Amino acid sequence: MYTKPTPAFIGVSYCALSIGMAAFLTGLWRTTSMGLAEKGFYFTLLMYGLYAAVSVQKSVRDRTENIPVTDLYYGISWLSTIMCLSLLVIGLWNASWPLSEKGFYGMSFLLSLFGAIAVQKNTRDVAGLHRLVNRPVADPPLPERPLPDRNKKS
């Protein structure tokens, strides 16, 4: 069931996460058109969105592998991801920035979410392969030998 991700895909996943987060956070750091509270809102939205996206990926994957996931956790994971995306869209829609700046924040946010999901998938695949390879081997059965007769006197 586990396939080893290629080193190229692992590298691209980390690059996507790093570039998306770096772009989003650099944009927040360098902008002068946002107040501190607004910067805090977008920073929190990014962190919560990354957690929610990884949580959705994990719960969906657990269900496909028949690992128990409660309906409550599954629903909260999806709700959190949808709320993060909705809050980002509402925030960008109401912002008085040029369209290019809104697009920049939206695309870097989505790139970060994609990168987080891909990194989590790769991490899980590699861990699953390590579990399969390092699975303890059952001891071979001992050969049967006759028990000594205790009633016999030597």
Side-chain angles (χ1 to χ4, degrees), residues 113-125:
L113 293 188
F114 167 77
I117 290 169
V119 165
Q120 199 274 341
K121 180 212 173 293
N122 291 335
T123 303
R124 184 165 174 159
D125 286 347

Side-chain angles (χ1 to χ4, degrees), residues 89 92-107:
V89 167
L92 293 177
W93 183 272
N94 291 317
S96 59
W97 308 328
L99 200 53
S100 61
E101 194 171 344
K102 292 178 183 183
F104 168 79
Y105 283 109
M107 293 306 292

Side-chain angles (χ1 to χ4, degrees), residues 49-102:
L50 293 173
Y51 175 78
V54 168
S55 188
V56 164
Q57 196 277 339
K58 181 193 177 329
S59 61
V60 168
R61 177 101 179 247
D62 282 351
R63 282 195 166 192
T64 60
E65 294 177 358
N66 295 324
I67 298 171
V69 176
T70 63
D71 290 335
L72 180 63
Y73 183 77
Y74 185 73
I76 288 173
S77 299
W78 274 107
L79 180 66
S80 294
T81 304
I82 292 167
M83 281 176 41
C84 285
L85 292 171
S86 299
L87 285 170
L88 180 73
V89 167
I90 291 168
L92 293 177
W93 183 272
N94 291 317
S96 59
W97 308 328
L99 200 53
S100 61
E101 194 171 344
K102 292 178 183 183

